[in-house]
């Protein structure tokens, strides 16, 4: 082994990335596994390449720890979000939002109303998958019974769910994007308003034209059963809306994310104890392992069985392993060797943004994994954005 570390050439720097991408594609698309092990294999490959170019184990170990440190702010927020979701579900906050949303759903404006309900539900829960798999299923059944085109119903569900997921401070991808780029999460969300609000308005206008009324004055049986189950199993009150509405109020007052989330957790827990009649022993179990709904209604139980500290460990472990890979790639100069070739195409801030979007898009297509599409390009272009004096929110 050389006594002095050497600059790692472009082709050698490409090797860990190629190994990671190939193993990622095989694991996810063929074996339907998770991206954790491919990332770990990529990190090991990066370490071997760096070792052959003169980097000691002590140095590589330090680079790994430095990489993990960069994602710790996002990890803290993810942990708090898991606690927040479980406390809000147990406290009846999420149930109340779903109840009032479905209770006043009008068939005359079914598609835009469904879009807004899915958007609001995801905004408060932070999970587009949960909304699509539960409210989306119920909405599909209701819309189909009204004679609406299934493709249009699915479009309204997905549009609303993805809007809410992008704009929610509880969304793991929103937290991860802002954390990786080094942007304040609320600054990140406000910056996305420029594109997401016009997108939402366009979608609403389109679905307003597509919606039509039916002679049935009632919603489908699936929607009615959800409403009845929520009313029978939770203390539903419009006063519960005070808790979720407090989050954006605190954000506009520029209260930091962590105190804001802690306040939300405390209020959700108090709602569970005082309004829903829960006990401390069950509360601690819910905060750790998540809330498990047992109403007997499959749609309601699937929607409300979520949250908890444990639910965030998948994303936390993924972020930490990804930053092990990123820490070695970045600190040994391999990331710069790769990015240098690409950034030559970006002579301005606008072109750098375009290159970043293209890289993220291609990473998502190749790996079929949105977390990796956030983490890898996020670390690749962080320095380039700083060099051009662009705010981190532009990267996130």
């Amino acid at each position: 082994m050389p006594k002095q570390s050497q600059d790692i050439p472009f082709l050698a720097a490409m090797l860990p990335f190629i190994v990671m991408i190939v193993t990622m594609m095989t694991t996810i698309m063929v074996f339907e596994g998770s991206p954790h092990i491919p990332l770990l294999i990529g990190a090991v490959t990066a370490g071997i390449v760096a070792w052959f170019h003169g980097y000691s184990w002590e140095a590589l170990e330090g680079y790994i720890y430095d990489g993990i440190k960069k994602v710790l702010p996002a990890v803290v927020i993810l942990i708090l979000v898991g606690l927040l979701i479980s406390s809000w579900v147990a406290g009846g906050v999420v149930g109340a939002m779903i109840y009032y949303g479905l209770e006043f759903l009008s068939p005359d404006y079914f598609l835009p109303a469904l879009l807004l309900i899915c958007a609001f539900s995801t905004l408060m829960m932070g999970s587009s998958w949960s909304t699509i798999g539960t409210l989306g299923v119920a909405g599909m059944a209701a819309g189909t019974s009204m004679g609406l085109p299934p493709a249009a119903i699915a479009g309204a569900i997905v549009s609303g769910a993805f809007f809410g997921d992008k704009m929610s401070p509880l969304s793991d991808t929103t937290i991860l994007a802002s954390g990786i780029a080094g942007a304040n999460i609320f600054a990140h969300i406000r910056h996305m308003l420029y594109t997401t609000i016009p997108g939402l308005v366009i979608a609403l206008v389109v679905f307003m034209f597509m919606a039509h009324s039916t002679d049935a004055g009632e919603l489908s049986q699936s929607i009615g059963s959800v409403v009845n189950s929520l009313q029978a199993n939770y203390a539903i009150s419009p006063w519960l809306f005070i808790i979720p509405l407090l989050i954006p109020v605190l954000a506009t007052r520029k209260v930091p994310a962590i105190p804001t989330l802690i306040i939300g957790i405390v209020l959700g827990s108090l709602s569970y104890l005082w309004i829903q009649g829960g006990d401390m022993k069950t509360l601690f179990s819910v905060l750790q392992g998540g809330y498990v709904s047992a109403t007997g209604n499959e749609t309601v139980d699937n929607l409300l069985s979520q949250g908890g500290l444990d639910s965030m460990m998948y994303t936390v472990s993924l972020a930490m392993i990804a930053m092990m890979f990123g820490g070695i790639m970045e600190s040994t100069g391999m990331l710069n060797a790769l990015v240098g070739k690409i950034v030559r195409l970006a002579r301005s801030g606008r072109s750098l943004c375009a290159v970043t979007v293209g890289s993220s898009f291609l990473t998502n297509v190749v790996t079929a994994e949105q977390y990796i599409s956030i983490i890898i390009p996020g670390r690749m272009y962080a320095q380039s954005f700083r060099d051009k004096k662009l705010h981190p929110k532009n990267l996130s």
Side-chain angles (χ1 to χ4, degrees):
M1 183 173 65
K3 293 182 180 180
Q4 299 293 329
S5 59
Q6 306 169 355
D7 290 337
I8 300 177
F10 176 76
L11 291 179
M14 278 290 294
L15 181 60
F17 196 73
I18 292 173
V19 169
M20 187 270 291
I21 291 294
V22 171
T23 54
M24 183 83 69
M25 291 178 65
T26 304
T27 302
I28 293 177
M29 297 182 180
V30 179
F31 303 133
E32 298 183 355
S34 69
H36 295 67
I37 302 304
L39 273 172
L40 198 55
I41 293 173
V44 171
T45 306
I48 293 173
V49 170
W51 185 82
F52 271 106
H53 285 81
Y55 287 86
S56 66
W57 164 247
E58 289 76 14
L60 294 174
E61 188 175 1
Y63 300 154
I64 290 173
Y65 297 150
D66 288 341
I68 292 175
K69 286 178 185 177
K70 293 176 181 178
V71 81
L72 287 181
V75 166
V76 172
I77 293 177
L78 282 169
I79 289 172
L80 292 177
V81 165
L83 300 175
L84 183 72
I85 292 173
S86 59
S87 67
W88 281 15
V89 175
V93 176
V94 175
M97 293 186 296
I98 297 171
Y99 173 84
Y100 286 109
L102 296 179
E103 182 72 14
F104 299 105
L105 189 62
S106 170
D108 293 336
Y109 303 100
F110 181 82
L111 291 177
L114 182 62
L115 186 155
L116 291 175
I117 288 173
C118 289
F120 190 70
S121 174
T122 310
L123 186 66
M124 294 296 107
M125 291 190 300
S127 174
S128 58
W129 295 347
S130 296
T131 297
I132 291 171
T134 50
L135 283 179
V137 173
M140 182 65 74
T144 302
S145 68
M146 296 176 188
L148 294 172
I153 304 168
I157 294 166
V158 171
S159 298
F162 282 6
F163 170 83
D165 191 89
K166 280 174 64 68
M167 304 309 296
S168 174
L170 310 182
S171 167
D172 52 0
T173 51
T174 302
I175 295 166
L176 202 57
S178 59
I180 289 294
N184 176 274
I185 186 170
F186 295 119
H188 165 70
I189 291 172
R190 286 194 296 269
H191 199 55
M192 289 195 293
L193 290 172
Y194 295 110
T195 53
T196 50
I197 293 299
L200 181 69
V201 171
I202 292 170
L204 281 172
V205 170
V206 171
F207 287 120
M208 284 285 289
F209 279 108
M210 296 181 71
H212 62 83
S213 61
T214 64
D215 54 4
E218 301 177 357
L219 297 176
S220 73
Q221 184 178 358
S222 60
I223 296 291
S225 66
V226 170
V227 171
N228 293 335
S229 295
L230 290 171
Q231 193 173 34
N233 290 275
Y234 295 92
I236 302 295
S237 169
W239 291 105
L240 290 171
F241 278 83
I242 295 175
I243 298 175
L245 291 176
L246 187 62
I247 298 296
V249 171
L250 293 174
T252 56
R253 302 290 295 178
K254 297 184 177 180
V255 177
I258 290 178
T260 298
L261 292 172
I262 291 174
I263 292 172
I265 294 167
V266 171
L267 293 177
S269 299
L270 293 176
S271 176
Y272 173 68
L273 295 173
W274 295 348
I275 299 177
Q276 304 303 329
D279 58 84
M280 288 295 296
K281 180 181 178 181
T282 306
L283 174 62
F284 288 154
S285 175
V286 165
L287 292 175
Q288 177 70 40
Y291 182 78
V292 179
S293 176
T295 65
N297 184 298
E298 184 178 359
T299 299
V300 174
D301 291 342
N302 287 336
L303 184 62
L304 298 184
S305 296
Q306 58 174 306
L309 182 81
D310 294 343
S311 69
M312 291 298 173
M313 290 302 104
Y314 177 96
T315 307
V316 167
S317 60
L318 179 65
M320 295 181 71
I321 294 173
M323 291 312 294
M324 290 169 60
F325 173 73
I328 296 175
M329 293 288 291
E330 189 171 1
S331 298
T332 58
M334 285 190 276
L335 205 56
N336 286 336
L338 297 176
V339 174
K341 298 283 187 181
I342 302 174
V343 172
R344 290 176 186 173
L345 304 173
R347 300 184 181 275
S348 66
R350 289 189 179 91
S351 58
L352 178 60
C353 288
V355 167
T356 305
V357 169
S359 300
S360 302
F361 180 83
L362 290 175
T363 304
N364 210 348
V365 170
V366 171
T367 63
E369 175 54 60
Q370 60 180 337
Y371 298 108
I372 306 304
S373 309
I374 292 171
I375 294 170
I376 300 300
R379 292 316 308 165
M380 284 178 64
Y381 298 111
Q383 187 59 49
S384 299
F385 273 75
R386 286 193 292 268
D387 291 342
K388 292 188 181 297
K389 295 181 172 54
L390 293 172
H391 194 282
K393 65 185 180 183
N394 294 290
L395 174 60
S396 62

